Amino acid sequence: MNNIEEIIRSNRALFEDKEPSEGHLERFSVKLEIRCKPLAVKRSIVPYLLRAAVVTLLVTLSSLWTWDHFIRPGSSRMTLGQVSPQFKEVENYYLHQVNMMEGEIINVDLENNPEQKEMLLSEMKSMDSTYVSLQKELKANPNDERIINAMIEHYQTKLEVMTYIVNQLKTIRNANQNSTENEKIRL
């Protein structure tokens, strides 16, 4: 290595004046292309992503099946539908109504106050915890009419409260829309 450096230093004037021979750059480019071609082949990541998605889907489905058949949290609870078919219809009606109201509450836009929305949703969860305790009591006493009536009253009360909340939120939203429209007209 020292030998090459010494040759270059002693003949520096020869190296600075000379240009590469004609066609040198073209030959160099061809050699580079030949050398880099195997690296130019790109592999797609899509097949790997598809495999990962399939594995994820299978794991999720098997987890849900295991949860539903072995670990289900509601195994210590009993629903109205398990008492009799008539109560199942009543329960389905109230569940449908409550789910519709929950959807409306979730979709209401409370951009200016997200804490209120979180507080509202936490209150709904606390109402659900009351119902869970009623379900546990029903499992212990399946023929107790008082518990069945309390569960139905819980649904009715929850539906009334949710309807009131939705109506109030709609009123507030309409009032806000009217005030913004009035401000636009003033401008």
Side-chain angles (χ1 to χ4, degrees), residues 105 107 137:
I105 289 173
N107 290 332
E137 288 181 33

Side-chain angles (χ1 to χ4, degrees), residues 106-123:
I106 289 172
N107 290 332
V108 169
D109 189 23
L110 292 175
E111 288 179 359
N112 55 353
N113 203 344
E115 296 87 26
Q116 281 184 337
K117 191 170 190 176
E118 289 178 29
M119 184 179 73
L120 187 62
L121 294 176
S122 70
E123 288 296 323

Side-chain angles (χ1 to χ4, degrees), residues 11-25:
N11 297 314
R12 186 174 189 155
L14 293 175
F15 288 113
E16 288 180 0
D17 291 344
K18 299 248 175 161
E19 287 292 321
S21 62
E22 246 183 81
H24 172 73
L25 291 177

Side-chain angles (χ1 to χ4, degrees), residues 3 5 85:
N3 220 3
E5 287 178 15

Side-chain angles (χ1 to χ4, degrees), residues 30-85:
V30 169
K31 287 181 181 180
L32 274 178
E33 286 177 11
I34 291 172
R35 208 172 208 186
C36 293
K37 267 192 180 178
L39 298 176
V41 175
K42 293 184 180 180
R43 294 188 181 183
S44 177
I45 193 168
V46 174
Y48 298 111
L49 290 176
L50 286 174
R51 289 180 189 142
V54 168
V55 169
T56 304
L57 182 65
L58 290 175
V59 167
T60 303
L61 289 176
S62 64
S63 298
L64 289 174
W65 184 82
T66 303
W67 175 264
D68 191 43
H69 287 87
F70 298 110
I71 309 173
R72 178 182 262 169
S75 61
S76 65
R77 300 180 281 184
M78 187 173 187
T79 63
L80 286 174
Q82 293 170 328
V83 174
S84 75

Side-chain angles (χ1 to χ4, degrees), residues 170-184:
K170 285 181 181 178
T171 303
I172 292 169
R173 183 180 59 205
N174 289 338
N176 287 341
Q177 286 177 349
N178 288 340
S179 68
T180 55
E181 288 175 9
N182 289 339
E183 288 177 12
K184 288 180 183 177

